[in-house]
Amino acid sequence: MKNRTEDTLPESFRNFKVHFTVSAPGRINLIGEHTDYNDGFVLPTAIDKTIKLHFAANSTPYSCSIYSKTYGKSFSFDLRKIARSEEQWENYILGVINEIQKRGKYPEGFDCIIESDLPVGSGISSSAALESGMAFGLNELFGFDLSRKTIAELSRDAEHNYVGTKCGIMDQYASVLSKKDHLILLDCRSLEATYIPAKFKDHKLLLLNTMVSHSLASSEYNTRRKECEEAVYHINQLYPEVRSLRDVNLTRLAEFRNSLPEILYKRAHYVVSENERVLKAVEAISREDLDQFGLLMYNSHKGLRDKYEVSCEELDFLVDLTTEYKPVKGARMMGGGFGGCTINLIEEDAVEEFIEIASEAYQKQYNIKPEAIVVSPEQGTYFRKH
Ligand code: GLA
């Protein structure tokens, strides 16, 4: 039976003596959205906003307590009875423990205090940070010798099996394996990562948070994944070597223009085009052609809006605003969609001015103040001993 308390630091934490602290970052994604679960390419990196998890072993074999400063809530559980909870935030933690145990590693009693400066539901992956930060901490605390890659994979599995979102690997991989000042070109089929220097001379990456998070996000996400699988199923009847949309190019897809249901064709068309855009974006960034990269960002947004249909009015509004404003080279929605942030590549000198313009326009339209966050590529999960 689990115990819960709210608001106050629970009794069991009165003698809490932190052993070490894990910092688990959120992530941005430059381009390559909804491609990860299609075996495709993505271009993410970690940012300097993190969830901090303070760990201590408690010398008991099975008792654990978790306290979230952010939610002002705590819960306790027995390591022999890990099961899904009706409280969704607890599932991020329980799911990770379940995956670790499934891999034949057994944590002992521990306590953990969690605090976060990552806004929830804003598309910068607070959930992946929480999962992988938990896995990273338990790996340290109990010397499990799990690689960073395994930590990312088991964290994704926790999200599938306990949280219920059939996400790809991008968020967890970026949170755990990023390098400062680099982007990760990740091949989500082989998990081969190429670290690309983030050369954005005289430009900044600016996130604008719509502050909305439409409830469709999780169900529509799983629907998109299914639609892609269905498209692959059709194509596979004629081309048995096609195992995912990664194996399809636009010419091959065009052969299915009339036989694939319209909606599946649109979804597949977006994914296949987005994969191509990621590779073009890497070339553009490497030769410091930011105009070209900006164009690819806009095309990515159009595809997400019109073909993949995961954008929303508020995101479109913020992206549309930038097309009139020259110092922004490119903008698009970021992450799963239906709310959260846009990512903008903008001339350094114009950041302040643009934040003002965008805030004013957005407030006038929606009566909500958008949050503006300037981000830079940072290292993945790390820990500090006390
Ligand atoms: C969410 C998922 C990722 C990825 C993005 C869309 O963030 O967790 O795996 O699919 O959406 O690119």
Side-chain angles (χ1 to χ4, degrees), residues 18-31:
V18 58
H19 186 166
F20 61 81
T21 297
V22 171
S23 296
R27 66 100 189 89
I28 51 172
N29 185 25
L30 278 291
I31 197 162

Side-chain angles (χ1 to χ4, degrees), residues 111-177:
D111 300 324
C112 181
I113 296 181
I114 303 170
E115 53 188 328
S116 171
D117 59 6
L118 278 180
V120 173
S122 57
I124 51 180
S125 290
S126 56
S127 34
L130 179 55
E131 291 151 1
S132 45
M134 180 53 59
F136 194 92
L138 295 179
N139 188 44
E140 268 322 303
L141 198 56
F142 299 107
F144 290 148
D145 208 20
L146 299 168
S147 69
R148 282 183 180 250
K149 199 171 128 213
T150 303
I151 287 173
E153 285 172 323
L154 76 83
S155 300
R156 173 206 50 200
D157 295 348
E159 182 129 355
H160 286 199
N161 298 328
Y162 265 53
V163 181
T165 307
K166 302 287 180 198
C167 64
I169 189 73
M170 169 171 75
D171 303 346
Q172 292 80 5
Y173 198 99
S175 185
V176 180
L177 284 116

Side-chain angles (χ1 to χ4, degrees), residues 138-350:
L138 295 179
N139 188 44
E140 268 322 303
L141 198 56
F142 299 107
F144 290 148
D145 208 20
L146 299 168
S147 69
R148 282 183 180 250
K149 199 171 128 213
T150 303
I151 287 173
E153 285 172 323
L154 76 83
S155 300
R156 173 206 50 200
D157 295 348
E159 182 129 355
H160 286 199
N161 298 328
Y162 265 53
V163 181
T165 307
K166 302 287 180 198
C167 64
I169 189 73
M170 169 171 75
D171 303 346
Q172 292 80 5
Y173 198 99
S175 185
V176 180
L177 284 116
S178 287
K179 288 189 183 161
K180 191 171 170 55
D181 297 330
H182 287 76
L183 311 169
I184 310 176
L185 168 60
L186 182 66
D187 176 337
C188 297
R189 168 170 277 169
S190 64
L191 289 193
E192 192 191 328
T194 312
Y195 289 86
I196 311 288
K199 289 189 279 180
F200 297 123
K201 52 169 184 189
D202 308 329
H203 286 70
K204 291 278 180 205
L205 294 167
L206 169 71
L207 305 183
L208 288 179
N209 190 351
T210 58
M211 312 302 278
V212 300
S213 153
H214 296 293
S215 57
L216 288 171
S218 161
S219 60
E220 286 295 309
Y221 187 94
N222 289 347
T223 306
R224 290 299 173 282
R225 190 167 179 152
K226 267 211 199 93
E227 288 166 347
C228 292
E229 283 162 9
E230 269 175 55
V232 170
Y233 178 81
H234 278 263
I235 300 170
N236 177 273
Q237 307 295 302
L238 257 190
Y239 296 102
E241 70 277 17
V242 170
R243 287 182 291 131
S244 69
L245 289 176
R246 164 70 176 279
D247 301 318
V248 181
N249 60 27
L250 287 176
T251 319
R252 167 110 338 143
L253 183 64
E255 295 172 29
F256 295 85
R257 185 77 192 90
N258 299 321
S259 56
L260 260 186
E262 174 67 18
I263 200 148
L264 299 189
Y265 190 81
K266 280 205 294 191
R267 306 299 190 239
H269 192 280
Y270 162 75
V271 171
V272 173
S273 316
E274 182 77 348
N275 271 329
E276 290 183 1
R277 278 191 287 267
V278 177
L279 300 178
K280 284 186 188 150
V282 169
E283 280 173 25
I285 292 169
S286 303
R287 51 169 205 274
E288 299 191 34
D289 184 348
L290 299 187
D291 288 326
Q292 175 61 20
F293 174 53
L295 202 64
L296 291 162
M297 290 175 84
Y298 280 123
N299 288 339
S300 168
H301 184 77
K302 271 190 211 139
L304 287 158
R305 184 190 63 198
D306 303 334
K307 291 200 152 55
Y308 216 64
E309 296 178 286
V310 291
S311 187
C312 63
E313 197 192 312
E314 295 86 347
L315 286 164
D316 295 342
F317 180 87
L318 286 177
V319 170
D320 286 348
L321 258 187
T322 67
T323 55
E324 311 271 286
Y325 188 74
K326 273 209 101 183
V328 173
K329 293 286 158 58
R332 54 178 212 87
M333 56 149 276
M334 192 183 73
F338 303 103
C341 293
T342 62
I343 179 166
N344 303 265
L345 180 69
I346 176 172
E347 285 171 17
E348 205 163 359
D349 297 342

